[in-house]
Amino acid sequence: MTVPMVEALQVRKSFGRLEVLKGIDLTVDPGEVLCLIGPSGSGKSTFLRCINHLEKIDGGELSVDGELVGYRRSGDKLYELRDREVCGKRAEIGMVFQRFNLFPHMSVLDNVTSGPVRVQKESSTTANERARHLLERVGLADKVAAYPNQLSGGQQQRVAIARALAMSPKLMLFDEPTSALDPELVGEVLDVMRGLAEDGMTMIVVTHEMGFAREVGDTMVFMDGGVVVESGDPKVVLTSPQHERTRAFLSKVL
Amino acid sequence: MTVPTGPSTPPERKPSGPHKTVPVRHPGRWAASGVILVLVAMLVNTLFFSGVVRGGVEEGRFQWPIVWKYLFVTPVLKGIVVTLELTVVAMVVGIVLGVVLAVMRLSPNRLLSGSAWIYIWFFRGTPVLVQLTFWYVGITYLYPTLTLGIPFGPAFYTVNANSLVTTFIAAALGLSLNEGAYMAEIVRAGIISVDEGQTEAAQSLGMRKSQTLRRIVIPQAMRIIIPPTGNETISMLKTTSLVIVIAGADLFAATQNISNANYQIVPLLLVASLWYLFFTSVLTIGQFYVERHYARGSSRALPPTPLQRLRQDLFRIRPQPVPAVVEPTWLPGRERAP
């Protein structure tokens, strides 16, 4: 039996008195592409951010590759991990944000090498070489010296993907990667993501791109009001949703 | 023009020959310029060409020969050294203190953020003149001997406060501690101006909190921090003149000492003013280039330096417009996995 890449058991999260996640159960196998859909405020992004511990969960259990996120179990006690240990875990998970969040004061090349050089203590020569290779892979070999604000949104997001890939992650999280893009730039980012999926990367994608989810996703999960309402093969969920809420949501976005 | 020709097209229009374009006139600007020119002429006249009768003798109003005579005398130059030393020490210590206090104030730990708040409250809430006097007089009065040792325990080393706290130490201490409070607020404003997404991106790469602060947040906060820090430095250069109250040996004190002896009060005030102006001008130029350095990545084209602008104005070479957004390339020749 393979260890699931991500396993969530009754994950809960509240902001103040607002409960955003009300017991999420979910499993992602290695190599699986899971697309997370749902109306805004349904907790998709929060759940994604819990996976690499940008948010701390309040209840339940969340583990990545068989290890708890943010805690160490010893006997029947959970010990909170130190900053250093959390950082080590985060380095194995790539994350791509809706608003790119490239470092504006660094060139494209420095953005991509910042993780390997600063966190993995790689030499800058090997990091540069790998960064150039990754930028070539996302179609931006000619932009190594550019600064982020000289690039279009689609190009910035492709740099952000290269930056995440530079850490050789075992899991990639995408938080609405195309929502901030002009419609004609969405395709180039989805192309890169499709290539990643074909190469066997484990991916969790929060998205509104139903076409992409249908074509690339292995599983589709529909979340609403902090719970998983329905999950299954994207083609099945999209064409014959079982729940009324899924039907209502899909009728608005399709 | 690519208007299709046909029966319905209107008759082709073309300009009816070369015109002389007449720019709009600005009589108000001309009038204002005239007034300013007259005022400038009056200023130059009163500074350099007018005379005045003092003690029955007619002499130049501003006594520039006397100013010139004292501009480079040794006591003045020594005073300049002290002024510059105090400025550098106070700013360096102030900036370091400011960064530490700003980080403390942003800490989730209430004791840390609270104590930083109290510090800033105290040092911003009392006049720097009072603080300077306090460090010089108050310390030796309250603590005649200073002791190094374990708190509430044995002492290893004891020193007479009078011999330790010299004028310079008291001045540097007073100015630095005061500056730290102001710099803390400037640094804090810079840090919170950086988008939270930057911290999240750095953390998601696995960067430690300290790395995130040093590599990602502070470099971007610099753009906000630098201009007020330049102002603070210029302000500090002038504030050092307050150390005269604790018998400091700075530039202003040096000129005052000379004029106390020879009664040339105004010329020596001019000596001090000219030197302060010279150094604030140097700092202003320095600030421009530092700001330009930290503008990398924030604007698409850096602003021209004054020299570049002068060259452009002289030779009428306008800067080439930078394309707003580089054309997106549609994944040229990306090899797709089979």
Side-chain angles (χ1 to χ4, degrees):
Chain A
M1 196 190 108
T2 55
V3 179
M5 185 56 83
V6 178
E7 191 171 29
L9 296 169
Q10 286 299 302
V11 168
R12 292 176 175 277
K13 170 74 193 173
S14 304
F15 292 115
R17 285 159 66 186
L18 179 73
E19 194 170 32
V20 186
L21 300 178
K22 299 172 181 164
I24 302 285
D25 289 309
L26 197 144
T27 310
V28 184
D29 289 322
E32 184 177 343
V33 176
L34 181 137
C35 292
L36 211 51
I37 62 167
S40 61
S42 58
K44 317 175 294 272
S45 289
T46 305
F47 178 66
L48 205 64
R49 293 158 58 84
C50 287
I51 295 174
N52 70 350
H53 208 45
L54 284 178
E55 304 285 357
K56 216 187 272 185
I57 62 173
D58 301 325
E61 265 185 37
L62 185 57
S63 48
V64 172
D65 206 10
E67 291 181 51
L68 284 181
V69 174
Y71 296 92
R72 179 163 37 83
R73 194 196 310 272
S74 180
D76 55 352
K77 277 188 186 161
L78 290 183
Y79 294 91
E80 202 177 335
L81 294 183
R82 295 160 167 279
D83 186 38
R84 177 161 21 103
E85 298 164 310
V86 172
C87 287
K89 295 282 175 61
R90 281 203 191 110
E92 300 171 348
I93 305 171
M95 184 151 186
V96 175
F97 299 86
Q98 181 178 356
R99 301 190 48 227
F100 328 134
N101 294 346
L102 292 180
F103 305 133
H105 58 300
M106 296 181 184
S107 69
V108 163
L109 189 69
D110 289 344
N111 263 280
V112 179
T113 57
S114 59
V117 171
R118 301 286 169 217
V119 177
Q120 294 172 331
K121 307 293 175 200
E122 210 169 276
S123 80
S124 61
T125 350
T126 48
N128 280 349
E129 198 179 312
R130 248 161 41 77
R132 281 174 202 281
H133 186 74
L134 284 166
L135 286 167
E136 199 176 315
R137 182 171 168 188
V138 299
L140 292 170
D142 53 336
K143 298 287 183 221
V144 285
Y147 280 87
N149 65 1
Q150 296 169 322
L151 304 179
S152 72
Q155 291 172 327
Q156 290 193 44
Q157 195 60 299
R158 285 187 275 152
V159 174
I161 294 173
R163 179 175 69 176
L165 290 176
M167 301 294 288
S168 314
K170 53 188 178 191
L171 167 68
M172 284 284 285
L173 309 173
F174 292 85
D175 188 3
E176 302 197 26
T178 58
S179 296
L181 296 178
D182 290 341
E184 81 269 23
L185 303 179
V186 167
E188 58 189 81
V189 172
L190 292 182
D191 271 356
V192 171
M193 290 168 62
R194 193 174 293 122
L196 267 180
E198 283 165 2
D199 292 350
M201 175 65 77
T202 314
M203 295 160 62
I204 303 181
V205 186
V206 173
T207 187
H208 294 295
E209 297 291 332
M210 298 303 163
F212 173 83
R214 182 205 302 267
E215 185 198 336
V216 180
D218 298 310
T219 316
M220 175 174 271
V221 171
F222 172 69
M223 275 177 74
D224 191 17
V227 292
V228 171
V229 176
E230 179 164 357
S231 67
D233 188 302
K235 296 176 187 71
V236 177
V237 175
L238 286 168
T239 47
S240 52
Q242 299 299 307
H243 287 260
E244 187 48 46
R245 270 143 82 189
T246 320
R247 266 195 289 276
F249 174 73
L250 289 175
S251 72
K252 278 181 218 148
V253 296
L254 284 180
Chain B
M1 296 283 277
T2 54
V3 180
T5 50
S8 61
T9 21
E12 203 184 331
R13 296 176 54 184
K14 31 177 174 172
S16 56
H19 289 298
K20 187 177 186 299
T21 51
V22 183
V24 106
R25 303 291 182 201
H26 299 285
R29 287 186 202 169
W30 282 101
S33 304
V35 170
I36 287 171
L37 277 179
V38 170
L39 288 174
V40 168
M42 286 169 71
L43 181 68
V44 170
N45 180 54
T46 194
L47 278 177
F48 300 110
F49 301 110
S50 70
V52 70
V53 179
R54 293 192 188 100
V57 187
E58 163 127 20
E59 57 180 6
R61 195 184 292 273
F62 276 82
Q63 298 163 292
W64 292 113
I66 302 175
V67 172
W68 183 251
K69 185 178 151 198
Y70 287 103
L71 201 52
F72 297 102
V73 295
T74 316
V76 169
L77 296 181
K78 277 187 177 161
I80 288 171
V81 171
V82 173
T83 291
L84 293 180
E85 279 174 351
L86 276 177
T87 308
V88 170
V89 170
M91 283 315 293
V92 169
V93 177
I95 288 169
V96 171
L97 208 57
V99 172
V100 172
L101 285 166
V103 173
M104 279 171 71
R105 269 210 73 181
L106 293 169
S107 162
N109 183 321
R110 286 288 183 80
L111 189 64
L112 286 180
S113 66
S115 47
W117 188 90
I118 297 273
Y119 180 97
I120 294 164
W121 166 79
F122 182 82
F123 281 95
R124 281 203 317 185
T126 51
V128 66
L129 189 55
V130 175
Q131 287 173 32
L132 278 173
T133 319
F134 191 89
W135 283 110
Y136 189 55
V137 187
I139 284 298
T140 46
Y141 176 75
L142 291 172
Y143 304 98
T145 55
L146 298 172
T147 317
L148 189 71
I150 297 166
F152 308 108
F156 305 134
Y157 182 70
T158 302
V159 67
N160 186 342
N162 254 326
S163 62
L164 185 70
V165 185
T166 61
T167 310
F168 187 85
I169 299 270
L173 213 55
L175 294 172
S176 312
L177 296 180
N178 185 262
E179 188 55 35
Y182 285 93
M183 282 308 302
E185 289 297 276
I186 291 171
V187 174
R188 190 174 69 100
I191 290 177
I192 59 180
S193 77
V194 178
D195 185 52
E196 232 180 320
Q198 292 291 313
T199 315
E200 287 177 0
Q203 284 180 340
S204 75
L205 286 174
M207 285 196 199
R208 307 277 301 275
K209 278 185 181 134
S210 54
Q211 280 179 319
T212 305
L213 191 70
R214 206 171 70 240
R215 304 280 176 195
I216 307 298
V217 176
I218 294 279
Q220 294 182 61
M222 285 306 255
R223 218 160 46 79
I224 305 293
I225 294 173
I226 289 292
T229 304
N231 288 344
E232 286 294 310
T233 311
I234 287 169
S235 174
M236 178 56 72
L237 185 85
K238 297 174 295 172
T239 305
T240 52
S241 64
L242 291 180
V243 305
I244 197 167
V245 297
I246 56 172
D250 72 313
L251 168 61
F252 185 51
T255 58
Q256 286 284 292
N257 284 342
I258 297 172
S259 62
N260 284 345
N262 67 7
Y263 302 111
Q264 300 286 7
I265 295 162
V266 173
L268 279 144
L269 286 175
L270 286 172
V271 168
S273 305
L274 286 175
W275 276 117
Y276 282 119
L277 268 176
F278 172 74
F279 286 111
T280 52
S281 308
V282 171
L283 286 175
T284 308
I285 295 167
Q287 184 182 2
F288 175 84
Y289 284 96
V290 175
E291 274 177 35
R292 204 166 173 276
H293 173 78
Y294 281 105
R296 269 179 324 171
S298 62
S299 52
R300 295 201 162 94
L302 287 176
T305 63
L307 261 178
Q308 289 170 341
R309 203 176 310 155
L310 185 71
R311 233 177 286 145
Q312 281 165 11
D313 287 348
L314 284 179
F315 301 110
R316 289 278 154 216
I317 303 167
R318 292 275 154 242
Q320 295 298 312
V322 178
V325 174
V326 185
E327 276 301 309
T329 47
W330 190 266
L331 293 177
R334 194 178 86 82
E335 284 171 73
R336 292 285 301 278

